[in-house]
Amino acid sequence: MNSLRMLRPAAIRVALASRARMAQSAVVLKPSLNSTTRIITRPLSIKSLFASKGDNDQSTSIKQPILSQDNLFHPLSESPIPEIRDRATIIKKYGTCPVCNEEHHGDRASMHSPEFECPDCGHPTHCCEEHYHKGKAEHDKICGILREHNEDEHDLRSGRPMKEFEFPSAQGFDEAINMANWDVFFYTRSFPSMDSDRNMRHVSKLLTYPITIGSVLHESSPYKKQVTPEGLRSLAAIRSILYPKVILAKDGVTMLKTETVNLYLLGARAESTLPPHIWLQLSHLFPQTPFHLHFIGPDTLPPNREPYTTFLNDRLTFTYDNAMYHDYHEKIGSFDPYRDIYFLFAPGIGHPDSREAWKPSIAKALDTKCAMFITGFDQTDVQTDVKAVEEDHGEDFDWILKPTENHFKSLKHDINLQDLTQAICANWGIWGIRGKRYEVTHNQEDD
Ligand SMILES: [Zn+2]
Ligand SMILES: [Zn+2]
């Protein structure tokens, strides 16, 4: 069964932003209220998650807490939150009892749906209490994660003020950012209200996308040991743009703003649904650099939506396009390893269903000699993609970043509702490659 494949689009997708809303809100800092009204009928409001101080509109009326902090655990089927009760329904409809599964060797006809809810995590795990006790030792391996997830989901919808989503603005010039891990990042960037592991899980699930990018490109990147000599050359080229003092020394020209750096996010899914202001946190890491983010791939926009380009401010431009990358590539024409970079978030390059489709896109990207960074949601996912790239493009690339655990993975687990034994963390691991025969021809006029 293709359970992990099914998990990809659904579970990794960030449910906090509807696509329609994003299209409307991309040019303004805060989403408009109208587009969230449908959601306000539910206890979780996107608006409430991202509202900032002094943001007084009618959505404040739903900020009355409906669940206190000592009342966050509920069996899913008895949750006061309709959305969470829906999860129980989905698990019961599409899941199977793991003990039945074992006994009937995967013969679905003989299996029973998980009706019995584990008292410790509140998830429907087994067909009956007897099978629950029989399979308990195995279930205990993930019960704690499911319990945590249960409480986190209730907390998100508890109606409390989500102060951890009040993100800091630009960094002072005398303050150094440390990118060693989430803890010191939050500390040195002065994130308010990052008081608990739960706060960090909520925020890391959103920020894993921009900050994973930032942590690779930043001068204080934590991957000193994993970056290869070829990788150092690639990153030195990119950093000569990101940190303009290098340009000043070389050209003797005063440039307050650097050239635009293009980030090509191939196979975009969850990252293309993030509210644009989340990407400000990438921008703040490189205060002199304008970024143009290109979200490319068939899941970027709902079907039949025309591609479009929008901007948040003069340093953040976004293009959304459902094209396959190898087609989009032709539209761009020329590439520059100094200021064009690829990021692929859990692309599933090695998955049998998508491997063929990825081949021409990866080949085009390698042709450019631009750096390409790829994440995976667990060790197996990373290994599967690495193996496929080695088999399909073996002669054509150099390693720039050896596979390693991502210091800025999502700390929150995503649960596969069809198979509760599977829990993953978005962007768990990261690695990087670049087309062979590195010859930089930096074209200054080409802007
Ligand atoms: Zn059973
Ligand atoms: Zn349990």
Side-chain angles (χ1 to χ4, degrees), residues 96-101 103-104 111-113 126-128 131-132:
T96 50
C97 166
V99 173
C100 288
N101 193 8
E103 289 178 0
H104 300 290
M111 284 189 237
H112 298 104
S113 64
H126 296 77
C127 65
C128 59
H131 274 189
Y132 170 71

Side-chain angles (χ1 to χ4, degrees), residues 9-55:
I12 301 175
R13 192 177 295 283
V14 177
L16 293 173
S18 78
R19 292 170 183 282
R21 214 194 90 254
M22 186 173 66
Q24 295 162 9
S25 65
V27 291
V28 293
L29 202 64
K30 280 174 288 186
S32 68
L33 179 68
N34 286 346
S35 46
T36 59
T37 40
R38 240 174 339 118
I39 299 155
I40 284 173
T41 58
R42 285 282 171 89
L44 172 65
S45 151
I46 292 161
K47 180 71 174 177
S48 73
L49 289 185
F50 294 111
S52 56
K53 286 173 203 156
D55 193 17

